[in-house]
């Protein structure tokens, strides 16, 4: 598991941005930090703006099961990670 925080630049950040439904440029900047803080607050996590094990666990819990014919942001996430 890769910890993501402000300054991170990679496909994991891009996948996270699809999940958060913000501009997916792969760069963990101010907008991504604000969006992850809001997500963390909504899940009653410590809103530190860092994606670590607890935030990942919440994201995985929210993820749907994908199958042939699935579409939407979670398919974009999967494509980033493959």
């Amino acid at each position: 598991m890769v910890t993501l925080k402000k300054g991170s630049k990679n496909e994991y950040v891009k996948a996270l941005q699809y999940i958060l439904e913000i501009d997916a440029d792969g760069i963990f900047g101010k907008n991504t930090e604000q969006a992850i803080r809001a997500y963390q607050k909504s899940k009653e996590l410590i809103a530190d703006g860092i994606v670590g094990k607890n935030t990942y666990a919440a994201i995985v819990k929210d993820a749907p099961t994908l199958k042939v014919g699935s579409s939407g942001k979670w398919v974009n996430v999967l494509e980033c990670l493959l």
Side-chain angles (χ1 to χ4, degrees), residues 8-80:
S8 297
K9 297 177 185 180
N10 54 44
E11 291 301 307
Y12 297 109
V13 174
K14 191 172 186 176
L16 175 67
Q17 292 167 328
Y18 279 124
I19 292 166
L20 297 171
E21 298 180 335
I22 61 174
D23 182 40
D25 61 4
I27 302 167
F28 198 126
K30 182 180 177 182
N31 291 339
T32 305
E33 184 179 37
Q34 288 174 343
I36 201 61
R37 283 180 190 270
Y39 177 82
Q40 289 168 325
K41 285 179 185 177
S42 76
K43 299 299 175 182
E44 299 180 357
L45 300 170
I46 295 171
D48 59 5
I50 298 170
V51 182
K53 69 177 186 171
N54 293 332
T55 303
Y56 275 120
I59 290 169
V60 169
K61 189 174 180 180
D62 285 346
T65 299
L66 298 176
K67 58 186 181 226
V68 174
S70 292
S71 62
K73 73 178 183 181
W74 288 101
V75 172
N76 292 334
V77 169
L78 181 60
E79 290 172 344
C80 277

